[in-house]
């Protein structure tokens, strides 16, 4: 595994030691390995959510099928179709409310937000993404939420990914930061609307999750 991770310029079982920090901006940070103590509970939570609301490839308003499979949990879920991007309380596939957010997700999100300087975080939505080799996420802003005062908390599990973090304009140059199993990224405040994305995922199988990366982003949407 170490040889594969060397391709991302890191060493060690999961690429970085638990407890490290990488500043991305004035109010944005990567918390290395922050999720590792809760991995078992987090993966159990993913299984519970996807049993009720399976992963699916949504369609963009422009008619393209997203390469990343996704689902949601919490009071609100992010959806996309020909009518646009939005949050909804009902899963359009099942006609039922989205699954409740697992307690481990909430616990991790609040602890990570506080560690990054955003105490009192009360999320109500979680977008769960599944990346396979070749999947990518183009540069975009998270701007469908009603209140930009709360941060975004993004958790990485499984295969490594290269995180792109740009500026307030799409054309701004984006930094590249490798993310590994257990890393948590938090951005808010002056960095809340910065463009970000994921480069195409390389097939570097993780010992536990194989050729996939599970990522969930927890936020205050309503």
């Amino acid at each position: 595994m170490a040889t594969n991770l060397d391709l991302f310029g890191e060493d060690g079982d999961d690429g970085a030691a638990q407890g490290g920090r990488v500043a991305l901006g004035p109010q944005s940070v990567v918390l290395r390995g922050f999720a590792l103590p809760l991995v078992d509970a987090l993966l159990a939570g993913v299984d519970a959510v996807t049993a009720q609301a399976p992963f699916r490839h949504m369609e963009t308003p422009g008619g393209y099928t997203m390469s990343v499979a996704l689902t949601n949990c919490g009071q609100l879920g992010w959806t996309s179709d020909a009518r646009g991007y939005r949050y909804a309380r009902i899963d359009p596939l099942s006609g039922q409310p989205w699954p409740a957010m697992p307690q481990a997700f909430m616990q991790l999100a609040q602890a990570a937000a506080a560690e990054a300087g955003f105490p009192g975080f009360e999320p109500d939505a979680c977008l769960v993404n599944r990346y396979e080799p070749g999947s990518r996420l183009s540069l975009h802003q998270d701007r469908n939420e009603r209140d930009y005062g709360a941060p975004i908390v993004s958790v990485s599990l499984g295969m490594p990914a290269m995180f792109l973090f740009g500026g307030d304009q799409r054309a701004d140059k984006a930094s590249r930061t490798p993310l590994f199993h257990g890393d948590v990224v938090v951005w808010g405040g002056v960095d809340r609307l910065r463009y970000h994305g994921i480069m195409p995922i390389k097939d570097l199988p993780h010992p536990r999750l194989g050729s996939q990366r599970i990522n969930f982003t927890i936020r205050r949407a309503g």
Side-chain angles (χ1 to χ4, degrees), residues 17-34:
Q18 183 178 344
R21 298 171 67 98
V22 178
L24 300 177
Q27 291 184 281
S28 48
V29 64
V30 180
L31 303 174
R32 293 291 189 198
F34 196 83

Side-chain angles (χ1 to χ4, degrees), residues 24 29-31 152-156 163 179 183-187:
L24 300 177
V29 64
V30 180
L31 303 174
I152 302 292
V153 176
S154 178
V155 182
S156 293
F163 182 60
L179 299 179
D183 288 349
V184 179
V185 187
V186 183
W187 66 95

Side-chain angles (χ1 to χ4, degrees), residues 34 103-116 118-123 153 218:
F34 196 83
Q103 182 57 38
F105 287 26
M106 180 73 72
Q107 177 184 347
L108 176 62
Q110 292 178 327
E115 179 69 20
F118 301 97
F121 182 39
E122 294 292 340
V153 176
I218 305 169

Side-chain angles (χ1 to χ4, degrees), residues 1-12 14-17 22 32 177-180:
M1 187 61 183
T3 300
N4 285 342
L5 291 175
D6 285 344
L7 295 175
F8 284 81
E10 298 283 350
D11 299 312
D14 285 312
V22 178
R32 293 291 189 198
T177 304
L179 299 179
F180 300 96

Side-chain angles (χ1 to χ4, degrees), residues 158-184:
M159 291 200 301
M162 191 65 76
F163 182 60
L164 301 173
F165 200 61
D168 294 330
Q169 305 297 322
R170 186 185 297 275
D172 293 343
K173 184 177 180 179
S175 64
R176 299 183 179 186
T177 304
L179 299 179
F180 300 96
H181 181 68
D183 288 349
V184 179

Side-chain angles (χ1 to χ4, degrees), residues 88-114:
R89 296 187 179 275
I90 300 299
D91 178 349
L93 284 187
S94 67
Q96 300 297 316
W98 295 104
M101 190 183 306
Q103 182 57 38
F105 287 26
M106 180 73 72
Q107 177 184 347
L108 176 62
Q110 292 178 327

Side-chain angles (χ1 to χ4, degrees), residues 7 9 25 27 31 37 40 48 85 106 114 128 147 166 203 208 210-211:
L7 295 175
Q27 291 184 281
L31 303 174
D40 288 345
Y85 304 120
M106 180 73 72
V128 186
D147 181 5
D203 192 3
R208 183 166 181 180
S211 291

